[in-house]
């Protein structure tokens, strides 16, 4: 098959600063004395969305090492446990992973930073970002001196990968292709067939970096991960702390080429220093929860605690999804076909709503609105924002009511101006 040589990729037409939005929320609180409504945020407020009790118990019993330094290279036992657990589902070029193919990192942003730094040391010069993606990735690449190219999704609502354009954009030497799975803030998970098709189409020298930080809470299947066989020039980031809704005690796993991971760990010591003294026991607690979950699925234990936990969480997420759709559908919004994780995209035609201003919304209404520009997901015909389905139903309803009132007033003003 002859590869096309002309690369045409869209770039966002406007840079959106998330820091500005957060500062506007603080001004709202200072002016009114009221706490903001975090409609597009990350807080877990719903009383039914809690971490698994056994995981909380294990984390409370974690061992601290307060008088010695701890580095990622020291966590060999946790790496070995992770490899044993993950090798059932994840392979690279048909080969099983070992503890040498795993690195324990403090969080996903740090794992992303260090992975890209290590790839740059190996000759990477540019990163092709499949939109939608984590908004900080551009900042990381800019700080590392890596060029970035954003390839829009083939479909705004599903985030479907535009595999031909991603492949074309990766034709230059020294390219890393970064894919966020599930599609960031859309809640749509790419299938193993999608990822395999992308890996097959990429040029031979390109690296594939899968940011699967939020992979593991599928609405469609009960297992915490898919069965996959990736190329040798692939890296995967997974973060059980995100899946279990724990934000204050994080851990992430970086999985892939053994030599590259040792370089990641060496760079980590130089750039971010040592890990917390309980890093090993924290990682083992999360891995134990993952193992209990996968064992229940494998044995068909329908009444197991992890499967009960998953059903309870998903029921709460679906409840909020239904309530949001009831408010937004009459206004012309369409919701993404969420099938994974706690977020959904609300999309509307620019003809119906020509402008979203997250900073103004934060300052005037006290609502955190993370619009599609914040996850590199611009589109000429659509506007969109994400909804965090972990809100309480009351706070979600209040946030949507404020937005609906503002947008209805704007529509009336626009009608009067045109009359």
């Amino acid at each position: 098959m002859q590869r096309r040589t002309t690369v045409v990729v869209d770039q966002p037409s406007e840079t959106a600063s998330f820091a500005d939005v957060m500062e506007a929320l603080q001004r709202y609180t200072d002016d009114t004395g009221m706490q903001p409504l975090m409609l597009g945020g990350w807080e877990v407020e719903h009383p039914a969305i809690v971490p698994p009790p056994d995981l909380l118990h294990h984390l409370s019993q974690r061992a601290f090492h307060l008088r010695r330094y701890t580095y990622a290279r020291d966590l060999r036992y946790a790496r070995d446990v992770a490899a044993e657990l993950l090798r059932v589902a994840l392979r690279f070029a048909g080969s099983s992973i070992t503890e040498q193919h795993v690195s324990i990192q403090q969080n996903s942003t740090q794992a992303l930073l260090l992975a890209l730094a290590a790839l740059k040391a190996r000759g990477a010069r540019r990163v092709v970002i499949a939109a939608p993606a984590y908004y900080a990735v551009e900042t990381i690449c800019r700080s590392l001196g890596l060029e970035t190219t954003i390839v829009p999704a083939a479909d705004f609502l599903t985030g479907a990968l535009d595999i031909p354009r991603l492949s074309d954009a990766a034709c230059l030497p020294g390219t890393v292709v970064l894919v966020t799975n599930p599609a960031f803030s859309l809640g749509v998970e790419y299938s193993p067939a999608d990822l395999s098709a992308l890996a097959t189409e990429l040029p031979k020298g390109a690296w594939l970096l899968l940011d699967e930080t939020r992979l593991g809470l599928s609405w469609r299947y009960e297992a915490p991960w898919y069965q996959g066989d990736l190329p040798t020039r692939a890296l995967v980031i997974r973060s059980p702390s995100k899946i279990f809704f724990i934000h204050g005690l994080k851990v992430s796993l970086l999985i892939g080429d053994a030599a590259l991971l040792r370089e990641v760990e060496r760079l980590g010591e130089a750039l971010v220093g040592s890990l917390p003294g309980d890093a090993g026991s924290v990682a083992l607690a999360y891995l134990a929860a993952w193992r209990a979950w996968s064992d229940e699925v494998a044995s068909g234990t329908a009444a197991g605690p992890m499967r009960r936990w998953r059903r309870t969480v998903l029921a709460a997420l679906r409840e909020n999804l239904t309530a949001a759709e009831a408010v937004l559908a009459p206004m012309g919004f369409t919701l993404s076909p969420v099938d994974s994780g706690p977020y959904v995209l609300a999309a509307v035609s620019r003809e119906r709503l020509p402008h979203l201003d997250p900073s103004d919304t934060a300052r005037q209404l006290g609502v955190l609105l993370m619009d599609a520009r914040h996850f590199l997901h611009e589109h000429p015909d659509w506007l969109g924002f994400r909804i965090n389905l972990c809100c309480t139903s009351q706070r979600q309803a209040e946030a949507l009511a404020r937005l609906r009132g503002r947008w209805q007033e704007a529509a009336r003003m626009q009608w009067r101006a045109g009359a």
Side-chain angles (χ1 to χ4, degrees), residues 1 4 62 77 108 127 130 135 178 186 214 221 244 257 267-268 280 297 330 347 349 362 385 394 398 407:
M1 181 178 67
R4 298 190 302 273
R62 65 192 186 276
Y77 179 62
S108 56
V127 178
Y135 64 88
L178 187 145
L186 274 62
R214 287 200 174 274
Y221 55 87
F244 295 124
D257 178 77
L267 283 169
V297 173
S349 166
F385 63 92
Q394 295 84 359
E398 173 60 22
W407 293 336

PDB file of all heavy atoms in Angstrom, residues 1 4 62 77 108 127 130 135 178 186 214 221 244 257 267-268 280 297 330 347 349 362 385 394 398 407:
ATOM      1  N   MET A   1       0.840  -1.197   0.000  1.00  0.00           N
ATOM      2  CA  MET A   1       0.000   0.000   0.000  1.00  0.00           C
ATOM      3  C   MET A   1       0.875   1.246   0.000  1.00  0.00           C
ATOM      4  O   MET A   1       1.791   1.368   0.809  1.00  0.00           O
ATOM      5  CB  MET A   1      -0.888   0.015   1.258  1.00  0.00           C
ATOM      6  CG  MET A   1      -1.822   1.220   1.321  1.00  0.00           C
ATOM      7  SD  MET A   1      -2.897   1.175   2.780  1.00  0.00           S
ATOM      8  CE  MET A   1      -1.686   1.389   4.080  1.00  0.00           C
ATOM      9  N   ARG A   4       0.391   8.033   1.691  1.00  0.00           N
ATOM     10  CA  ARG A   4       0.270   9.421   1.269  1.00  0.00           C
ATOM     11  C   ARG A   4       1.354  10.254   1.940  1.00  0.00           C
ATOM     12  O   ARG A   4       1.756   9.983   3.075  1.00  0.00           O
ATOM     13  CB  ARG A   4      -1.115   9.976   1.643  1.00  0.00           C
ATOM     14  CG  ARG A   4      -2.262   9.245   0.958  1.00  0.00           C
ATOM     15  CD  ARG A   4      -3.587   9.988   1.164  1.00  0.00           C
ATOM     16  NE  ARG A   4      -3.921  10.147   2.547  1.00  0.00           N
ATOM     17  CZ  ARG A   4      -4.589   9.242   3.251  1.00  0.00           C
ATOM     18  NH1 ARG A   4      -4.948   8.107   2.694  1.00  0.00           N
ATOM     19  NH2 ARG A   4      -4.896   9.456   4.507  1.00  0.00           N
ATOM     20  N   ARG A  62      -1.100   0.605  55.103  1.00  0.00           N
ATOM     21  CA  ARG A  62       0.132   0.641  54.324  1.00  0.00           C
ATOM     22  C   ARG A  62       1.356   0.889  55.206  1.00  0.00           C
ATOM     23  O   ARG A  62       1.273   1.548  56.244  1.00  0.00           O
ATOM     24  CB  ARG A  62       0.042   1.708  53.233  1.00  0.00           C
ATOM     25  CG  ARG A  62      -0.058   3.128  53.741  1.00  0.00           C
ATOM     26  CD  ARG A  62      -0.440   4.072  52.598  1.00  0.00           C
ATOM     27  NE  ARG A  62      -0.409   5.467  52.992  1.00  0.00           N
ATOM     28  CZ  ARG A  62      -1.401   6.096  53.599  1.00  0.00           C
ATOM     29  NH1 ARG A  62      -2.503   5.444  53.917  1.00  0.00           N
ATOM     30  NH2 ARG A  62      -1.295   7.369  53.904  1.00  0.00           N
ATOM     31  N   TYR A  77       9.266  -5.713  43.762  1.00  0.00           N
ATOM     32  CA  TYR A  77       8.209  -6.652  44.134  1.00  0.00           C
ATOM     33  C   TYR A  77       6.853  -6.189  43.590  1.00  0.00           C
ATOM     34  O   TYR A  77       6.094  -6.984  43.019  1.00  0.00           O
ATOM     35  CB  TYR A  77       8.136  -6.816  45.650  1.00  0.00           C
ATOM     36  CG  TYR A  77       7.035  -7.757  46.078  1.00  0.00           C
ATOM     37  CD1 TYR A  77       7.039  -9.098  45.681  1.00  0.00           C
ATOM     38  CD2 TYR A  77       5.970  -7.306  46.856  1.00  0.00           C
ATOM     39  CE1 TYR A  77       6.008  -9.962  46.054  1.00  0.00           C
ATOM     40  CE2 TYR A  77       4.946  -8.153  47.235  1.00  0.00           C
ATOM     41  CZ  TYR A  77       4.977  -9.481  46.830  1.00  0.00           C
ATOM     42  OH  TYR A  77       3.956 -10.328  47.192  1.00  0.00           O
ATOM     43  N   SER A 108      -0.181   9.806  36.877  1.00  0.00           N
ATOM     44  CA  SER A 108      -0.172   9.665  35.418  1.00  0.00           C
ATOM     45  C   SER A 108       0.512  10.838  34.717  1.00  0.00           C
ATOM     46  O   SER A 108       1.153  10.650  33.676  1.00  0.00           O
ATOM     47  CB  SER A 108      -1.595   9.515  34.904  1.00  0.00           C
ATOM     48  OG  SER A 108      -2.413  10.605  35.305  1.00  0.00           O
ATOM     49  N   VAL A 127       5.426  15.037  18.666  1.00  0.00           N
ATOM     50  CA  VAL A 127       4.347  14.212  19.212  1.00  0.00           C
ATOM     51  C   VAL A 127       3.077  14.506  18.423  1.00  0.00           C
ATOM     52  O   VAL A 127       2.659  15.665  18.320  1.00  0.00           O
ATOM     53  CB  VAL A 127       4.122  14.487  20.715  1.00  0.00           C
ATOM     54  CG1 VAL A 127       2.965  13.647  21.244  1.00  0.00           C
ATOM     55  CG2 VAL A 127       5.393  14.208  21.514  1.00  0.00           C
ATOM     56  N   ALA A 130      -3.608  12.490  19.213  1.00  0.00           N
ATOM     57  CA  ALA A 130      -4.953  12.153  18.742  1.00  0.00           C
ATOM     58  C   ALA A 130      -5.954  12.822  19.676  1.00  0.00           C
ATOM     59  O   ALA A 130      -6.028  12.498  20.858  1.00  0.00           O
ATOM     60  CB  ALA A 130      -5.156  10.643  18.738  1.00  0.00           C
ATOM     61  N   TYR A 135      -5.466  17.863  28.530  1.00  0.00           N
ATOM     62  CA  TYR A 135      -5.074  19.210  28.098  1.00  0.00           C
ATOM     63  C   TYR A 135      -3.633  19.563  28.465  1.00  0.00           C
ATOM     64  O   TYR A 135      -3.023  20.430  27.838  1.00  0.00           O
ATOM     65  CB  TYR A 135      -6.033  20.259  28.687  1.00  0.00           C
ATOM     66  CG  TYR A 135      -6.021  20.360  30.195  1.00  0.00           C
ATOM     67  CD1 TYR A 135      -5.131  21.196  30.850  1.00  0.00           C
ATOM     68  CD2 TYR A 135      -6.916  19.636  30.969  1.00  0.00           C
ATOM     69  CE1 TYR A 135      -5.118  21.296  32.229  1.00  0.00           C
ATOM     70  CE2 TYR A 135      -6.914  19.736  32.345  1.00  0.00           C
ATOM     71  CZ  TYR A 135      -6.025  20.558  32.973  1.00  0.00           C
ATOM     72  OH  TYR A 135      -6.017  20.645  34.339  1.00  0.00           O
ATOM     73  N   LEU A 178       0.373   9.855  20.396  1.00  0.00           N
ATOM     74  CA  LEU A 178      -0.238   9.741  21.712  1.00  0.00           C
ATOM     75  C   LEU A 178      -1.752   9.614  21.569  1.00  0.00           C
ATOM     76  O   LEU A 178      -2.402  10.455  20.958  1.00  0.00           O
ATOM     77  CB  LEU A 178       0.107  10.959  22.574  1.00  0.00           C
ATOM     78  CG  LEU A 178      -0.344  10.879  24.032  1.00  0.00           C
ATOM     79  CD1 LEU A 178       0.668  11.570  24.939  1.00  0.00           C
ATOM     80  CD2 LEU A 178      -1.718  11.487  24.263  1.00  0.00           C
ATOM     81  N   LEU A 186     -14.853  12.238  26.900  1.00  0.00           N
ATOM     82  CA  LEU A 186     -16.008  11.765  26.141  1.00  0.00           C
ATOM     83  C   LEU A 186     -16.581  10.482  26.728  1.00  0.00           C
ATOM     84  O   LEU A 186     -17.738  10.155  26.500  1.00  0.00           O
ATOM     85  CB  LEU A 186     -15.642  11.521  24.678  1.00  0.00           C
ATOM     86  CG  LEU A 186     -15.724  12.713  23.719  1.00  0.00           C
ATOM     87  CD1 LEU A 186     -14.760  13.806  24.116  1.00  0.00           C
ATOM     88  CD2 LEU A 186     -15.473  12.272  22.290  1.00  0.00           C
ATOM     89  N   ARG A 214      -7.552   6.387  32.630  1.00  0.00           N
ATOM     90  CA  ARG A 214      -8.910   6.140  33.124  1.00  0.00           C
ATOM     91  C   ARG A 214      -9.509   4.840  32.583  1.00  0.00           C
ATOM     92  O   ARG A 214     -10.713   4.619  32.717  1.00  0.00           O
ATOM     93  CB  ARG A 214      -9.827   7.311  32.788  1.00  0.00           C
ATOM     94  CG  ARG A 214      -9.539   8.527  33.657  1.00  0.00           C
ATOM     95  CD  ARG A 214     -10.705   9.494  33.686  1.00  0.00           C
ATOM     96  NE  ARG A 214     -10.469  10.573  34.620  1.00  0.00           N
ATOM     97  CZ  ARG A 214     -10.735  10.534  35.916  1.00  0.00           C
ATOM     98  NH1 ARG A 214     -11.247   9.433  36.452  1.00  0.00           N
ATOM     99  NH2 ARG A 214     -10.491  11.567  36.688  1.00  0.00           N
ATOM    100  N   TYR A 221     -18.487  -4.082  29.690  1.00  0.00           N
ATOM    101  CA  TYR A 221     -17.973  -5.378  30.116  1.00  0.00           C
ATOM    102  C   TYR A 221     -17.391  -5.250  31.518  1.00  0.00           C
ATOM    103  O   TYR A 221     -16.974  -4.175  31.946  1.00  0.00           O
ATOM    104  CB  TYR A 221     -16.920  -5.915  29.135  1.00  0.00           C
ATOM    105  CG  TYR A 221     -15.755  -4.988  28.868  1.00  0.00           C
ATOM    106  CD1 TYR A 221     -14.634  -5.000  29.692  1.00  0.00           C
ATOM    107  CD2 TYR A 221     -15.779  -4.108  27.793  1.00  0.00           C
ATOM    108  CE1 TYR A 221     -13.561  -4.156  29.450  1.00  0.00           C
ATOM    109  CE2 TYR A 221     -14.713  -3.259  27.540  1.00  0.00           C
ATOM    110  CZ  TYR A 221     -13.615  -3.290  28.379  1.00  0.00           C
ATOM    111  OH  TYR A 221     -12.556  -2.438  28.140  1.00  0.00           O
ATOM    112  N   PHE A 244     -10.623   3.858  40.950  1.00  0.00           N
ATOM    113  CA  PHE A 244     -11.236   3.639  42.253  1.00  0.00           C
ATOM    114  C   PHE A 244     -11.596   4.944  42.964  1.00  0.00           C
ATOM    115  O   PHE A 244     -11.893   4.949  44.160  1.00  0.00           O
ATOM    116  CB  PHE A 244     -10.309   2.784  43.128  1.00  0.00           C
ATOM    117  CG  PHE A 244     -10.107   1.391  42.599  1.00  0.00           C
ATOM    118  CD1 PHE A 244      -8.836   0.904  42.339  1.00  0.00           C
ATOM    119  CD2 PHE A 244     -11.194   0.570  42.341  1.00  0.00           C
ATOM    120  CE1 PHE A 244      -8.652  -0.389  41.847  1.00  0.00           C
ATOM    121  CE2 PHE A 244     -11.024  -0.713  41.847  1.00  0.00           C
ATOM    122  CZ  PHE A 244      -9.744  -1.197  41.603  1.00  0.00           C
ATOM    123  N   ASP A 257       8.633  -1.226  26.862  1.00  0.00           N
ATOM    124  CA  ASP A 257      10.016  -1.622  26.617  1.00  0.00           C
ATOM    125  C   ASP A 257      10.863  -1.502  27.883  1.00  0.00           C
ATOM    126  O   ASP A 257      10.922  -0.445  28.518  1.00  0.00           O
ATOM    127  CB  ASP A 257      10.595  -0.735  25.515  1.00  0.00           C
ATOM    128  CG  ASP A 257      12.032  -1.050  25.226  1.00  0.00           C
ATOM    129  OD1 ASP A 257      12.293  -2.058  24.556  1.00  0.00           O
ATOM    130  OD2 ASP A 257      12.903  -0.267  25.681  1.00  0.00           O
ATOM    131  N   LEU A 267      15.632   9.122  34.748  1.00  0.00           N
ATOM    132  CA  LEU A 267      15.219  10.513  34.581  1.00  0.00           C
ATOM    133  C   LEU A 267      14.351  10.967  35.741  1.00  0.00           C
ATOM    134  O   LEU A 267      14.434  12.119  36.177  1.00  0.00           O
ATOM    135  CB  LEU A 267      14.454  10.668  33.266  1.00  0.00           C
ATOM    136  CG  LEU A 267      15.291  10.689  31.995  1.00  0.00           C
ATOM    137  CD1 LEU A 267      14.406  10.575  30.767  1.00  0.00           C
ATOM    138  CD2 LEU A 267      16.128  11.957  31.923  1.00  0.00           C
ATOM    139  N   GLY A 268      13.517  10.062  36.251  1.00  0.00           N
ATOM    140  CA  GLY A 268      12.672  10.403  37.386  1.00  0.00           C
ATOM    141  C   GLY A 268      13.482  10.805  38.601  1.00  0.00           C
ATOM    142  O   GLY A 268      13.132  11.757  39.309  1.00  0.00           O
ATOM    143  N   GLY A 280       5.520   1.667  47.605  1.00  0.00           N
ATOM    144  CA  GLY A 280       5.404   0.246  47.314  1.00  0.00           C
ATOM    145  C   GLY A 280       4.128  -0.355  47.866  1.00  0.00           C
ATOM    146  O   GLY A 280       3.411  -1.088  47.160  1.00  0.00           O
ATOM    147  N   VAL A 297     -14.331 -11.840  38.085  1.00  0.00           N
ATOM    148  CA  VAL A 297     -14.820 -11.937  36.710  1.00  0.00           C
ATOM    149  C   VAL A 297     -14.463 -13.299  36.116  1.00  0.00           C
ATOM    150  O   VAL A 297     -15.294 -13.955  35.471  1.00  0.00           O
ATOM    151  CB  VAL A 297     -14.246 -10.797  35.851  1.00  0.00           C
ATOM    152  CG1 VAL A 297     -14.605 -10.988  34.379  1.00  0.00           C
ATOM    153  CG2 VAL A 297     -14.756  -9.444  36.339  1.00  0.00           C
ATOM    154  N   PRO A 330     -33.790  18.864  25.212  1.00  0.00           N
ATOM    155  CA  PRO A 330     -34.724  19.870  24.688  1.00  0.00           C
ATOM    156  C   PRO A 330     -34.054  21.154  24.215  1.00  0.00           C
ATOM    157  O   PRO A 330     -34.642  21.920  23.451  1.00  0.00           O
ATOM    158  CB  PRO A 330     -35.647  20.146  25.886  1.00  0.00           C
ATOM    159  CG  PRO A 330     -35.547  18.936  26.745  1.00  0.00           C
ATOM    160  CD  PRO A 330     -34.137  18.478  26.590  1.00  0.00           C
ATOM    161  N   ALA A 347     -22.740  17.984  23.458  1.00  0.00           N
ATOM    162  CA  ALA A 347     -22.388  18.675  22.218  1.00  0.00           C
ATOM    163  C   ALA A 347     -23.613  19.363  21.639  1.00  0.00           C
ATOM    164  O   ALA A 347     -24.735  18.847  21.723  1.00  0.00           O
ATOM    165  CB  ALA A 347     -21.815  17.684  21.205  1.00  0.00           C
ATOM    166  N   SER A 349     -24.798  22.119  18.179  1.00  0.00           N
ATOM    167  CA  SER A 349     -24.419  22.803  16.944  1.00  0.00           C
ATOM    168  C   SER A 349     -24.099  24.268  17.221  1.00  0.00           C
ATOM    169  O   SER A 349     -24.762  24.928  18.028  1.00  0.00           O
ATOM    170  CB  SER A 349     -25.565  22.709  15.939  1.00  0.00           C
ATOM    171  OG  SER A 349     -25.385  23.612  14.877  1.00  0.00           O
ATOM    172  N   ALA A 362     -17.658  30.744  34.878  1.00  0.00           N
ATOM    173  CA  ALA A 362     -17.109  30.541  36.214  1.00  0.00           C
ATOM    174  C   ALA A 362     -17.268  31.790  37.076  1.00  0.00           C
ATOM    175  O   ALA A 362     -17.691  31.719  38.233  1.00  0.00           O
ATOM    176  CB  ALA A 362     -15.636  30.149  36.110  1.00  0.00           C
ATOM    177  N   PHE A 385     -18.975  20.491  25.935  1.00  0.00           N
ATOM    178  CA  PHE A 385     -18.352  20.569  27.253  1.00  0.00           C
ATOM    179  C   PHE A 385     -18.572  19.239  27.961  1.00  0.00           C
ATOM    180  O   PHE A 385     -19.482  18.481  27.630  1.00  0.00           O
ATOM    181  CB  PHE A 385     -18.916  21.728  28.080  1.00  0.00           C
ATOM    182  CG  PHE A 385     -20.388  21.616  28.395  1.00  0.00           C
ATOM    183  CD1 PHE A 385     -20.823  21.014  29.573  1.00  0.00           C
ATOM    184  CD2 PHE A 385     -21.345  22.122  27.527  1.00  0.00           C
ATOM    185  CE1 PHE A 385     -22.167  20.913  29.870  1.00  0.00           C
ATOM    186  CE2 PHE A 385     -22.695  22.030  27.813  1.00  0.00           C
ATOM    187  CZ  PHE A 385     -23.119  21.422  28.994  1.00  0.00           C
ATOM    188  N   GLN A 394     -28.399  16.697  42.868  1.00  0.00           N
ATOM    189  CA  GLN A 394     -28.866  18.051  43.156  1.00  0.00           C
ATOM    190  C   GLN A 394     -27.904  19.102  42.615  1.00  0.00           C
ATOM    191  O   GLN A 394     -28.331  20.097  42.012  1.00  0.00           O
ATOM    192  CB  GLN A 394     -29.048  18.233  44.678  1.00  0.00           C
ATOM    193  CG  GLN A 394     -30.127  17.379  45.305  1.00  0.00           C
ATOM    194  CD  GLN A 394     -29.643  15.971  45.645  1.00  0.00           C
ATOM    195  OE1 GLN A 394     -28.478  15.616  45.395  1.00  0.00           O
ATOM    196  NE2 GLN A 394     -30.538  15.163  46.186  1.00  0.00           N
ATOM    197  N   GLU A 398     -28.582  21.867  39.650  1.00  0.00           N
ATOM    198  CA  GLU A 398     -28.430  23.306  39.867  1.00  0.00           C
ATOM    199  C   GLU A 398     -27.468  23.912  38.849  1.00  0.00           C
ATOM    200  O   GLU A 398     -27.728  24.990  38.291  1.00  0.00           O
ATOM    201  CB  GLU A 398     -27.933  23.567  41.284  1.00  0.00           C
ATOM    202  CG  GLU A 398     -27.571  25.013  41.586  1.00  0.00           C
ATOM    203  CD  GLU A 398     -28.725  25.985  41.422  1.00  0.00           C
ATOM    204  OE1 GLU A 398     -29.894  25.551  41.485  1.00  0.00           O
ATOM    205  OE2 GLU A 398     -28.453  27.192  41.213  1.00  0.00           O
ATOM    206  N   TRP A 407     -28.130  30.624  28.852  1.00  0.00           N
ATOM    207  CA  TRP A 407     -28.191  30.412  27.415  1.00  0.00           C
ATOM    208  C   TRP A 407     -29.548  30.814  26.839  1.00  0.00           C
ATOM    209  O   TRP A 407     -29.630  31.304  25.719  1.00  0.00           O
ATOM    210  CB  TRP A 407     -27.877  28.957  27.089  1.00  0.00           C
ATOM    211  CG  TRP A 407     -26.448  28.609  27.412  1.00  0.00           C
ATOM    212  CD1 TRP A 407     -25.392  29.479  27.498  1.00  0.00           C
ATOM    213  CD2 TRP A 407     -25.915  27.318  27.700  1.00  0.00           C
ATOM    214  NE1 TRP A 407     -24.234  28.807  27.828  1.00  0.00           N
ATOM    215  CE2 TRP A 407     -24.517  27.484  27.952  1.00  0.00           C
ATOM    216  CE3 TRP A 407     -26.460  26.041  27.783  1.00  0.00           C
ATOM    217  CZ2 TRP A 407     -23.691  26.417  28.274  1.00  0.00           C
ATOM    218  CZ3 TRP A 407     -25.627  24.975  28.095  1.00  0.00           C
ATOM    219  CH2 TRP A 407     -24.262  25.167  28.332  1.00  0.00           C
TER     220      TRP A 407
END
